[in-house]
Amino acid sequence: MKKAIKAIVYYSYSGNTRSIVDMIKEKIDADIFEIKPKTPYSNNYDEVVDLGQKEVNSNTLREIEDININLDSYDTIILATPV
């Protein structure tokens, strides 16, 4: 039987999501890919919330760094993001 190939693609603002990804990685064999914005967010949470609201209201998408993943190479892809 062919082994399923898994990937976890995640973004973590404060590190909490990365912690969850690490826990998942302990349970399943998966390649890990981190999404990183080209222009990092501020460390000030209130500024990030304000900016995020402006981006949503103006339908602006933040550019991200290329993560060099071929999605066709994976049977299962888990996407993990902050709440």
Side-chain angles (χ1 to χ4, degrees):
M1 179 175 204
K2 181 182 168 198
K3 181 178 172 185
I5 301 172
K6 299 172 186 70
I8 302 173
V9 180
Y10 79 96
Y11 171 72
S12 186
Y13 171 69
S14 65
N16 291 332
T17 303
R18 175 61 201 212
S19 296
I20 298 299
V21 167
D22 290 340
M23 286 188 249
I24 294 169
K25 177 73 173 146
E26 290 179 13
K27 302 290 182 187
I28 65 171
D29 182 27
D31 295 334
I32 307 294
F33 299 91
E34 182 178 6
I35 298 170
K36 296 179 183 178
K38 283 190 176 181
T39 304
Y41 286 101
S42 165
N43 289 329
N44 181 303
Y45 179 78
D46 291 330
E47 289 177 14
V48 172
V49 170
D50 290 342
L51 177 60
Q53 189 62 55
K54 288 176 186 171
E55 289 175 343
V56 168
N57 290 340
S58 66
N59 201 27
T60 301
L61 297 176
R62 183 167 285 259
E63 287 188 61
I64 61 171
E65 294 179 9
D66 188 4
I67 58 174
N68 297 317
I69 182 175
N70 179 355
L71 298 176
D72 293 332
S73 299
Y74 296 93
D75 295 325
T76 303
I77 299 168
I78 299 168
L79 180 61
T81 64
V83 176

